[in-house]
């Protein structure tokens, strides 16, 4: 055992020796009267969170706590902020096999459609609607079967032990997961009618037919032009318009389409741990909050979004989550009962492996940005998703004229069950007025998101270092420092931290416990 420790320590030292030494910081200080020289002190810029834990005292419990919940085989989805319970949902033949269905039973089931609320753009003189969703069949599953299947997704409890309302919710979510996707089939004609409500009453009734069959997993995703009679042209208005859509010959195939004009403001929002309490970084709580407990809004974010919607009545809200599309309806119901209505994006089933999952947010962001090249975008999420921490600053750099604001809730600042580090290095070089890390929903009050592009509430200190945050023993404090609200870092220059080394050291410390 000691030889393993020595070997591991040697490898750490070798890795560190091969890394370039950090460049010394130059601190410009005002000239002052001579004072006695004090003891050397370590200069540590404050992290982005306000109530920093004593990492040195907590490291043993942090490491043991994380690994005891997740096991010593730490998979890649943990570091990515995507938990295992949202991966590898059964599809197609696996569902048929697990439920013991035969061909006749499957054929007798009615066809259903998940019609995800789409957005539409105006091009070539017509509105083009992005129809996307899934065609599937819902097996008749007994309560006993659903209980057994739901228990797979729960930790230290079972459906039988839950309160009645939570048990019902767990069975409903499980039933939505165990469906049989209909691959390589034609999607029935989609009916379109004027929307009865706000931004509605426009357009004419019509039907459209999708030009392609579904994918092997039953998905469809295509832009299709519609008869635009009675609709305002997207290049001549900034007003949002809505129409109703139904997938024919199916049940539950209705959705509202949002006709988004060429210019204006779109708010792209993640959902978990920014709009609702999920604790996606805490497996036991995350499972209960996702499969059993009623969805609960995080702080007063509904008020923040309602204020944005009321002050900007033609703003377009787009909810983009990388959760598998089987759970879309649960999220739609929560959003439409709690937040302004808007279009949706979830992870289609043909993005089923982890490498594709880690790229799907970027794929969906680029799609909507390039669909509306003249629109401005406000991006909202939290720090627990590494794809957000990579993709949001990337969009600001690749599409600087389109990204209006980036708002990120720092989950580790208010929830001590979030033990995973996050990487802020992507924000280096981006104007502070373009983004803000915040702790409470009220931090977003008073910011004019459609105004002068100043998205930074000066009363919320940032003190942001560029690199991995939340590492043990204060590792990573040699990262370059961004200007802060209270100007504590003014005039400081430093080299970019070797984030690879700091993260390697973090992983080394975790695995050290097992050597």
């Amino acid at each position: 055992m000691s030889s393993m420790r020595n070997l591991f320590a040697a490898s750490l030292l070798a890795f560190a020796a091969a890394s370039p030494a950090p460049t010394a910081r130059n601190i410009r200080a005002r000239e002052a009267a001579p004072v006695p020289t004090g003891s050397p002190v370590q200069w540590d810029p404050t992290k982005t969170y306000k109530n920093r834990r004593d990492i040195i005292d907590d490291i043993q419990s942090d490491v043991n706590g994380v690994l005891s919940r997740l096991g010593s085989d730490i998979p890649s989805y943990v570091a990515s902020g995507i938990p295992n319970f949202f991966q590898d949902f059964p599809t197609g033949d696996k569902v048929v096999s697990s439920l013991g269905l035969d061909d006749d039973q499957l054929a007798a089931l009615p066809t259903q459609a998940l019609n995800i609320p789409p957005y539409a753009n105006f091009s070539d003189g017509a509105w083009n609607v992005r129809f996307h969703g899934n065609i599937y069949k819902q097996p008749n599953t007994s309560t006993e079967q659903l209980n057994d299947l739901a228990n797979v997704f729960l930790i230290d409890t079972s459906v039988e032990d839950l309160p009645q309302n939570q048990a019902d919710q767990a069975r409903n979510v499980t039933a939505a997961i165990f469906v049989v996707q209909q691959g390589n089939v034609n999607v029935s004609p989609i009916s379109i009618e004027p929307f009865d409500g706000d931004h509605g009453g426009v357009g004419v009734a019509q039907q459209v037919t999708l030009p392609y069959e579904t994918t092997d997993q039953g998905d469809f995703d295509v832009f299709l032009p519609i008869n635009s009679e009675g609709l305002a042209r997207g290049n001549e208005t900034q007003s949002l318009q809505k129409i109703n859509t139904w997938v024919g010959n199916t049940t539950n195939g209705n959705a509202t389409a949002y006709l988004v004009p060429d210019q204006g403001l779109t708010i792209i929002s993640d959902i978990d741990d920014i709009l609702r309490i999920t604790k996606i970084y805490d497996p036991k709580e995350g499972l209960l909050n996702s499969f059993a407990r009623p969805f609960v809004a995080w702080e007063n974010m509904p008020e923040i979004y309602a204020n944005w919607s009321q002050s900007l009545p033609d703003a377009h809200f787009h909810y983009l989550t990388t959760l598998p599309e089987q759970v879309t309806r649960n999220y739609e119901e929560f959003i439409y009962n709690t937040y302004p209505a808007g279009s949706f994006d979830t992870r289609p089933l043909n993005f089923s492996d982890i490498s594709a999952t880690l790229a799907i947010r970027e794929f969906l962001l680029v799609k909507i940005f390039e669909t509306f090249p003249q629109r401005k975008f406000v991006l909202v999420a939290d720090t627990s998703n590494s794809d957000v921490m990579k993709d949001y600053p990337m969009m600001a750099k690749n599409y600087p004229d389109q990204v209006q604001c980036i708002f990120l809730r720092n989950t580790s600042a208010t929830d001590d069950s979030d033990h995973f580090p996050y990487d802020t290095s992507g924000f280096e070089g981006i104007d502070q007025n373009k983004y803000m890390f915040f702790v409470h929903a009220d931090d977003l009050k008073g910011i004019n998101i459609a105004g002068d592009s100043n998205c930074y509430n000066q009363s919320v200190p940032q003190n942001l270092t560029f690199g991995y945050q939340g590492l043990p023993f204060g590792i990573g404090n040699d990262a370059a420092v961004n200007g802060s609200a209270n100007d504590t870092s003014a005039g400081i220059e430093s080299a970019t931290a070797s984030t690879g080394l700091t993260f390697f050291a973090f992983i080394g410390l975790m695995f050290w416990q097992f050597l």
Side-chain angles (χ1 to χ4, degrees), residues 158-176:
S158 66
V159 172
E160 293 81 1
D161 296 330
L162 295 175
Q164 186 61 49
N165 66 323
Q166 294 186 21
D168 292 341
Q169 170 79 349
R171 283 189 284 266
N172 289 338
V173 174
T174 303

Side-chain angles (χ1 to χ4, degrees), residues 49-83:
Y49 41 83
K50 295 179 179 178
N51 303 317
R52 182 181 179 185
R53 300 192 313 273
D54 187 338
I55 297 179
I56 293 179
D57 290 342
D58 288 353
I59 180 60
Q60 182 71 42
S61 61
D62 281 4
V63 170
N64 290 341
V66 170
L67 296 182
S68 65
R69 288 193 296 269
L70 300 179
S72 59
D73 183 16
I74 304 174
S76 58
Y77 55 72
V78 169
S80 74
I82 301 174

Side-chain angles (χ1 to χ4, degrees), residues 58 78 84 96 110 121 157 159 226 251 256 260 304 383 405 409:
D58 288 353
V78 169
N84 189 34
V96 172
N121 75 330
T157 189
V159 172
I226 64 172
T251 59
T256 300
V260 182
I304 300 297
T383 58
C405 302
R409 175 203 169 192

Side-chain angles (χ1 to χ4, degrees), residues 325-363:
E325 63 189 10
Q326 293 104 311
V327 295
T328 299
R329 284 202 175 95
N330 299 76
Y331 279 71
E332 285 182 18
E333 181 180 3
F334 167 71
I335 289 296
Y336 293 157
N337 288 334
T338 317
Y339 291 95
S343 52
F344 255 80
D345 259 322
T346 53
R347 178 166 60 87
L349 294 180
N350 53 317
F351 288 87
S352 56
D353 63 89
I354 188 63
S355 60
T357 297
L358 295 179
I360 185 58
R361 190 184 301 272
E362 175 186 350
F363 174 83

Side-chain angles (χ1 to χ4, degrees), residues 161-295:
D161 296 330
L162 295 175
Q164 186 61 49
N165 66 323
Q166 294 186 21
D168 292 341
Q169 170 79 349
R171 283 189 284 266
N172 289 338
V173 174
T174 303
I177 294 170
F178 282 84
V179 297
V180 183
Q181 291 77 20
Q182 301 298 289
N184 305 308
V185 300
N186 290 314
V187 179
S188 296
I190 297 177
S191 298
I192 298 174
E193 291 186 2
F195 179 80
D196 183 16
D198 188 34
H199 296 285
V202 293
V204 295
Q206 57 188 289
Q207 278 194 340
V208 295
T209 301
L210 303 192
Y212 310 113
E213 293 181 340
T214 60
T215 67
D216 291 343
Q217 297 287 346
D219 284 335
F220 59 92
D221 191 339
V222 61
F223 278 95
L224 199 64
I226 64 172
N227 181 347
S228 300
E229 180 183 348
L231 298 171
R233 297 169 63 89
N235 58 353
E236 297 177 353
T237 182
Q238 289 197 16
S239 295
L240 199 68
Q241 301 171 90
K242 301 178 186 177
I243 54 176
N244 285 329
T245 69
W246 288 271
V247 179
N249 301 317
T250 65
T251 59
N252 299 326
N254 62 303
T256 300
Y258 296 81
L259 279 56
V260 182
D262 293 357
Q263 298 183 24
L265 186 70
T266 290
I267 298 162
I268 299 180
S269 181
D270 196 10
I271 298 175
D272 287 304
D273 291 311
I274 181 65
L275 300 188
R276 81 174 189 97
I277 298 172
T278 309
K279 294 180 178 286
I280 207 166
Y281 36 78
D282 185 334
K284 181 178 179 179
E285 287 297 299
L287 284 163
L288 285 171
N289 290 332
S290 298
F291 284 90
R293 293 170 180 160
F295 285 12

